[in-house]
Amino acid sequence: MSTRYSKYLPGFVFLCDLFLLNIAGYSANYIEFSTYRPENASALFILVVNAVWIFTSFLSQSFKVRRPLLLKDNFNRFMLTLIYHLLIVFGFLYFFKLYEVSRVMLIVTYIIFFGLVVIHRSLLFISLDFIRKKGYNHRKIIIVGDEKIAKRLIHSFSDHPEYGYDLADFISEDQILKMTENEIVDVLFSKRPDEIFICYKQLNDDLLKNLIRLGDIHFIKIKVVSDLMLSNSFATLVNYHNVPALHLTSNQELPLKIRVLKRGFDIIFSSLVLIGGFPVFMILYLITKTTSKGPAFYKQERIGLNEKPFYIYKFRSMWIDAEKHGPQLSSDHDPRITPWGRIMRKSRLDELPQFWNVFKGDMSIVGPRPERQYFIERILEHTPTYRKLLRVKPGITSIGQVHYGYAENVDQMRERMRYDLVYLQNVSLNSDLNIILKTLRVIVQGKGK
């Protein structure tokens, strides 16, 4: 792939998304009505989803592939677009009272579309990664300024050929001092770079403004590289009018789009489980009620986002008054668990009512498991970093639950915490979906306790 064809990539991705959306719509129509030819409400539905997708896709720019190649960022942008698209389509159908549109067709369309785009994006990024490592689809860059900062940047580019950058020239700080502003501009733009990286601690303000202005005119990206080295810290750019500042923290603050994306996914997923799983809820309710004395549901206070307490709901799996001697953690052969409760806990069915917690907003589908204040205080005595987990919504399942399982004591809770801290550094819909799939595997294998 040659560099000059890169400008066609966004259009190609946009058309592919639209094509896949139509494949999904027509396939859903065939699944529901045994024909690929949509009629009446189905034809109107396909027309609406196409029009709304064009609108939302152009607003979000979900079809743009940016450097460096980060599949999760592109995928998160797509998912945010998909959620907005779904809400607008639902609103359109409700507002115009198009109740004759098949609900099965609607759900199947989005499921197929989601799956097709995941496959398409993955293949696209794998292909681009391969092509750029072979030396194609590269960008010509010039690095200006401090030699130490420039060497770090060049080393990063050499370690990651998939970025697709070719160094055209490096102009050191000493060279810059010997040149006039016009000479600097002439040297930079005579080489016709695609991007200019400025590694300069004290760049002249007028020169920077001139470079930005000329970069906009000639479609050259101007990027300023800081001399900071970040390892376990996270940085967020904050603009105070015309003064940019980096907010550094050891805790990664979830961007608004990730929070919106997770909340949208939580609402849709929990609604589907609560509505579609209602017969299962009724069966579990009746069996729990008839196999042991006491209420079918059990609620317990847990600590959630920003240390706010809330009540978590479960199907009761223990005998009543199981904690009359104080808070206790369950174990493999816990005598407090009822025979039916042991079956539910093995398959995690006792936790199904927590989807109501998710729908209400107390919890998320994926996140660190919520604990009681009693155990949190004991964990904090030895591991103060646990408090980081209280800055995100707790979840029904987590990476700690999948890879470590239930904890039987405080030491095991601290051990499991390490997995959840890793999750905080890479919160995305990709990782959430991966955790959900691994949780389903645990449920099928009956490895809960």
Side-chain angles (χ1 to χ4, degrees):
M1 183 185 291
S2 176
T3 300
R4 65 179 180 271
Y5 295 125
S6 294
K7 61 183 179 181
Y8 301 116
L9 185 59
F12 170 75
V13 174
F14 170 76
L15 291 175
C16 284
D17 287 347
L18 200 60
F19 179 65
L20 295 177
L21 178 61
N22 281 276
I23 288 180
Y26 283 95
S27 298
N29 189 80
Y30 180 82
I31 292 172
E32 176 68 358
F33 303 109
S34 299
T35 177
Y36 285 109
R37 179 178 295 178
E39 296 181 359
N40 302 327
S42 297
L44 179 60
F45 169 71
I46 291 178
L47 179 64
V48 169
V49 296
N50 273 275
V52 175
W53 181 258
I54 293 172
F55 173 73
T56 54
S57 183
F58 270 98
L59 281 181
S60 68
Q61 301 288 289
S62 61
F63 48 82
K64 286 194 173 180
V65 179
R66 298 180 173 90
R67 295 171 191 252
L69 286 177
L70 294 174
L71 179 59
K72 69 174 184 178
D73 288 349
N74 186 274
F75 187 65
N76 286 339
R77 197 160 59 251
F78 163 75
M79 282 304 302
L80 191 61
T81 306
L82 186 64
I83 289 172
Y84 286 144
H85 182 266
L86 184 63
L87 293 175
I88 293 174
V89 169
F90 275 0
F92 182 90
L93 297 179
Y94 178 79
F95 182 79
F96 289 99
K97 299 184 177 177
L98 301 176
Y99 304 126
E100 62 272 21
V101 173
S102 169
R103 299 299 182 265
V104 172
M105 180 178 175
L106 191 150
I107 294 171
V108 172
T109 295
Y110 280 96
I111 291 175
I112 294 176
F113 181 45
F114 173 81
L116 290 175
V117 170
V118 169
I119 295 172
H120 172 253
R121 286 290 197 279
S122 300
L123 292 175
L124 175 65
F125 274 67
I126 291 171
S127 300
L128 286 174
D129 185 281
F130 176 79
I131 288 169
R132 290 175 183 174
K133 284 180 178 178
K134 291 295 183 181
Y136 300 97
N137 188 232
H138 278 210
R139 290 284 182 269
K140 186 191 294 185
I141 65 169
I142 293 178
I143 300 177
V144 180
D146 185 84
E147 189 172 356
K148 289 184 179 179
I149 304 174
K151 282 183 177 179
R152 281 172 24 209
L153 189 62
I154 293 170
H155 181 70
S156 177
F157 291 159
S158 64
D159 284 346
H160 297 277
E162 70 274 10
Y163 290 172
Y165 286 130
D166 289 332
L167 181 63
D169 197 3
F170 166 63
I171 304 175
S172 68
E173 188 173 357
D174 291 336
Q175 291 175 289
I176 290 287
L177 293 173
K178 296 175 184 178
M179 300 165 65
T180 66
E181 185 173 316
N182 289 334
E183 288 175 334
I184 295 171
V185 172
D186 289 340
V187 170
L188 290 176
F189 290 95
S190 65
K191 296 183 181 295
R192 303 178 64 83
D194 297 296
E195 299 183 16
I196 297 175
F197 289 83
I198 301 174
C199 306
Y200 210 85
K201 297 180 181 178
Q202 295 180 342
L203 185 66
N204 180 274
D205 185 55
D206 292 333
L207 175 59
L208 180 59
K209 288 179 180 178
N210 195 25
L211 289 174
I212 293 172
R213 181 181 61 83
L214 290 171
D216 290 339
I217 293 173
H218 297 280
F219 302 101
I220 298 173
K221 294 181 180 179
I222 307 296
K223 299 181 178 179
V224 178
V225 182
S226 169
D227 61 339
L228 290 174
M229 282 288 288
L230 303 178
S231 53
N232 294 325
S233 298
F234 300 95
T236 304
L237 182 64
V238 181
N239 285 304
Y240 295 97
H241 185 47
N242 59 350
V243 180
L246 285 177
H247 174 211
L248 303 179
T249 175
S250 60
N251 302 299
Q252 186 176 23
E253 185 175 339
L254 294 184
L256 177 61
K257 67 177 183 180
I258 298 296
R259 297 200 299 269
V260 171
L261 191 63
K262 277 182 67 71
R263 184 58 188 148
F265 178 77
D266 288 342
I267 292 174
I268 294 172
F269 197 98
S270 60
S271 299
L272 291 174
V273 172
L274 290 172
I275 296 172
F278 183 74
V280 178
F281 275 77
M282 290 303 301
I283 293 172
L284 294 175
Y285 175 87
L286 292 173
I287 296 177
T288 304
K289 191 72 176 174
T290 55
T291 53
S292 62
K293 293 182 179 180
F297 293 105
Y298 173 74
K299 71 175 185 178
Q300 186 180 71
E301 185 177 87
R302 299 287 177 97
I303 304 301
L305 177 64
N306 295 325
E307 302 187 46
K308 181 181 176 181
F310 71 98
Y311 282 104
I312 194 173
Y313 296 95
K314 292 185 176 185
F315 281 113
R316 183 177 54 81
S317 60
M318 293 187 176
W319 304 103
I320 56 174
D321 298 327
E323 291 197 332
K324 60 183 178 181
H325 299 299
Q328 299 178 54
L329 294 170
S330 63
S331 58
D332 284 330
H333 305 289
D334 197 326
R336 299 175 300 156
I337 301 175
T338 66
W340 168 242
R342 197 171 300 281
I343 295 174
M344 285 198 296
R345 292 169 75 92
K346 283 288 183 183
S347 55
R348 303 274 177 91
L349 292 174
D350 62 316
E351 295 179 358
L352 283 178
Q354 289 168 39
F355 282 99
W356 175 245
N357 287 113
V358 173
F359 186 80
K360 286 170 54 184
D362 296 327
M363 296 174 62
S364 181
I365 301 295
V366 178
R369 285 295 295 166
E371 302 294 348
R372 284 171 280 181
Q373 186 66 42
Y374 175 85
F375 293 109
I376 290 176
E377 290 174 357
R378 278 145 187 79
I379 295 172
L380 290 173
E381 289 177 3
H382 304 283
T383 316
T385 51
Y386 179 84
R387 201 174 294 277
K388 291 182 180 181
L389 301 184
L390 301 175
R391 295 181 181 177
V392 295
K393 276 187 183 180
I396 294 179
T397 186
S398 70
I399 191 69
Q401 285 286 94
V402 170
H403 289 283
Y404 192 89
Y406 285 102
E408 299 182 6
N409 52 58
V410 173
D411 288 336
Q412 290 185 4
M413 294 171 83
R414 292 168 56 204
E415 191 73 24
R416 185 180 62 188
M417 178 195 72
R418 297 179 182 178
Y419 291 95
D420 292 323
L421 288 174
V422 172
Y423 167 77
L424 294 187
Q425 298 178 17
N426 188 35
V427 178
S428 67
L429 197 63
N430 286 356
S431 61
D432 282 9
L433 291 173
N434 187 40
I435 292 169
I436 290 171
L437 292 175
K438 288 181 178 179
T439 302
L440 291 175
R441 189 186 307 160
V442 171
I443 291 173
V444 171
Q445 294 174 347
K447 291 185 177 180
K449 66 180 180 179

